[in-house]
Amino acid sequence: MDLTEVMRTTPAVREFTPEPVDDATLYGVLESARFAPSGGNRQPWRVVVVKDPTTRRAIADLYALSWREYWAHVERGLVPFAPGESGSWDGPAVDLAAARLKPAPDAFGDGLATVPVMLVVLAHLGSLAVTDNGLGRQSIVGGASVFPFTHNILLAARNAGLGGVMTTVLCRQSDAVQELLGWPPAYALAALVVLGHPVRQVTRLRRREVAEIAFVDRFGGDP
């Protein structure tokens, strides 16, 4: 596929057919994705391909707990875990313990254990140049050396006729997932990526126009 077409037709896909994705296709996706840029070319990402059904079920159960926390924010019209007006997180805006006990609607999570491909993406923390550490606001920079890789996975999957989505919701249960998968302390859970053959391929995406997101010389200046 043409690069522009791939970029303009890669949505977040959360519904998949039962058709499996063979190892050769997944290898090809990761083979292309690995060329993503990273600070110092340190390539801090590692990927665990989760195939064991018991482990998948456990991850799906942990995801459900995190989703309940997320949904409790959505129900109140809040952006989940977003920093406040000060630019930093001031603590939970909802009762997280209560949220974990309350079931929340989640068609994606309900089928998570049986998705064709489940990838747990890790980041080596010591390889991340977090240049906005200590600035008195929510840090956002560290992921710059990881998320181009996860997006490359989605682009490569689209090129292979697949669909997928990256979610960070599972990070709320990072310690429990670490116990399951056994990564060393120097690494952290960055994202969960799932792939498969989409039930339907959406190719008309709605996004803001360039004039709404790009300005000349100053924020809010000429588009």
Side-chain angles (χ1 to χ4, degrees), residues 28-51:
V29 167
L30 295 175
E31 167 69 16
S32 295
R34 69 188 178 92
F35 288 95
S38 61
N41 196 29
R42 287 182 287 272
Q43 304 165 62
W45 49 77
R46 297 294 184 272
V47 182
V48 179
V49 183
V50 184
K51 293 190 173 187

Side-chain angles (χ1 to χ4, degrees), residues 29-130:
V29 167
L30 295 175
E31 167 69 16
S32 295
R34 69 188 178 92
F35 288 95
S38 61
N41 196 29
R42 287 182 287 272
Q43 304 165 62
W45 49 77
R46 297 294 184 272
V47 182
V48 179
V49 183
V50 184
K51 293 190 173 187
D52 178 72
T54 302
T55 304
R56 280 169 157 250
R57 181 70 264 168
I59 288 176
D61 289 343
L62 292 169
Y63 179 91
L65 293 177
S66 297
W67 175 256
R68 291 172 183 179
E69 293 182 348
Y70 189 102
W71 183 255
H73 290 79
V74 175
E75 280 190 311
R76 291 181 51 183
L78 303 172
V79 178
F81 301 100
E85 293 299 321
S86 67
S88 60
W89 192 57
D90 300 320
V94 301
D95 185 336
L96 297 179
R100 288 190 292 271
L101 298 175
K102 181 182 177 182
D106 183 20
F108 171 71
D110 291 344
L112 184 57
T114 58
V115 293
V117 176
M118 177 184 287
L119 307 176
V120 174
V121 181
L122 310 174
H124 182 258
L125 295 174
S127 297
L128 306 179
V130 190

Side-chain angles (χ1 to χ4, degrees), residues 13-14 46-50 55-56 58-64 66 106 108-109 111-113 115 117-122 146-147 150 153-154 164-172 177 181 183 188-195:
V13 175
R14 298 180 176 86
R46 297 294 184 272
V47 182
V48 179
V49 183
V50 184
T55 304
R56 280 169 157 250
I59 288 176
D61 289 343
L62 292 169
Y63 179 91
S66 297
D106 183 20
F108 171 71
L112 184 57
V115 293
V117 176
M118 177 184 287
L119 307 176
V120 174
V121 181
L122 310 174
V146 181
F147 295 126
T150 60
I153 292 176
L154 297 177
V165 66
M166 182 201 82
T167 173
T168 59
V169 171
L170 187 64
C171 294
R172 297 290 307 165
V177 181
L181 302 185
W183 66 75
L189 175 57
L192 176 70
V193 178
V194 300
L195 304 174

Side-chain angles (χ1 to χ4, degrees), residues 129-147:
V130 190
T131 54
D132 61 350
N133 261 339
L135 297 186
R137 61 156 174 79
Q138 180 69 46
S139 174
I140 59 173
V141 169
S145 285
V146 181
F147 295 126

